[in-house]
Amino acid sequence: MKLVFSRHGESEANVQRIYWNQPGRFPLTPKGRQQAETLADALADYCFSALYCSPVLRALETAQIVGRRFGLTPRVADGLREYHVGILEGVTYSEETQVLKGQTERSWIEQDDYDARIEGGESYNDIAARFMPMIAGL
């Protein structure tokens, strides 16, 4: 089995510089829809048997655009959702918020502190607990 992972196209949250990793709100921008079309073009030589996506709107819309090209309906999988950033959800990017997010991610990568989290958010271990069973189930 071969797995192909991709990110979503540009969303309204990206343009507005807002942290948002939850379902609903913030659809793709016109540029994001074009990026999804470009992704579908880049994948044209692949033969897919299934298409999974995060429940986050920007990912679902990207997957729907790609799926149309391959005759596939995306299957929503919570295991693919970006991590919950706790108190930063819905907050505009700032130097302070980027430092906080960066510190948490560096704790995971540089210090092997897989329980570190932004207040109210998910730890690396929480993410793995969603992601790994989803992948194993494929």
Side-chain angles (χ1 to χ4, degrees), residues 78-124:
D78 191 60
L80 295 174
R81 180 178 40 81
E82 292 183 62
Y83 77 96
H84 191 297
V85 293
I87 60 172
L88 298 184
E89 291 289 343
V91 173
T92 304
Y93 301 177
S94 69
E95 187 174 325
E96 180 183 347
T97 62
Q98 290 179 314
V99 166
L100 178 59
K101 187 172 183 281
Q103 287 171 337
T104 302
E105 292 169 353
R106 277 191 305 283
S107 292
W108 300 341
I109 296 166
E110 296 171 5
Q111 300 164 8
D112 297 332
D113 181 359
Y114 303 124
D115 290 317
R117 70 183 71 234
I118 297 167
E119 182 183 337
E122 289 182 291
S123 69
Y124 183 92

Side-chain angles (χ1 to χ4, degrees), residues 29-55:
T29 63
K31 178 181 178 181
R33 287 189 290 281
Q34 182 56 54
Q35 289 170 333
E37 293 287 352
T38 300
L39 174 62
D41 290 343
L43 297 172
D45 291 338
Y46 286 85
C47 180
F48 294 102
S49 59
L51 175 62
Y52 293 86
C53 69
S54 160

Side-chain angles (χ1 to χ4, degrees), residues 15-68:
V15 171
Q16 295 176 37
R17 300 180 49 83
I18 296 173
Y19 293 102
W20 190 263
N21 293 338
Q22 302 307 305
R25 290 180 67 186
F26 302 113
L28 291 176
T29 63
K31 178 181 178 181
R33 287 189 290 281
Q34 182 56 54
Q35 289 170 333
E37 293 287 352
T38 300
L39 174 62
D41 290 343
L43 297 172
D45 291 338
Y46 286 85
C47 180
F48 294 102
S49 59
L51 175 62
Y52 293 86
C53 69
S54 160
V56 177
L57 183 57
R58 61 188 178 247
L60 178 58
E61 289 179 337
T62 300
Q64 288 169 333
I65 291 167
V66 171
R68 279 194 295 272

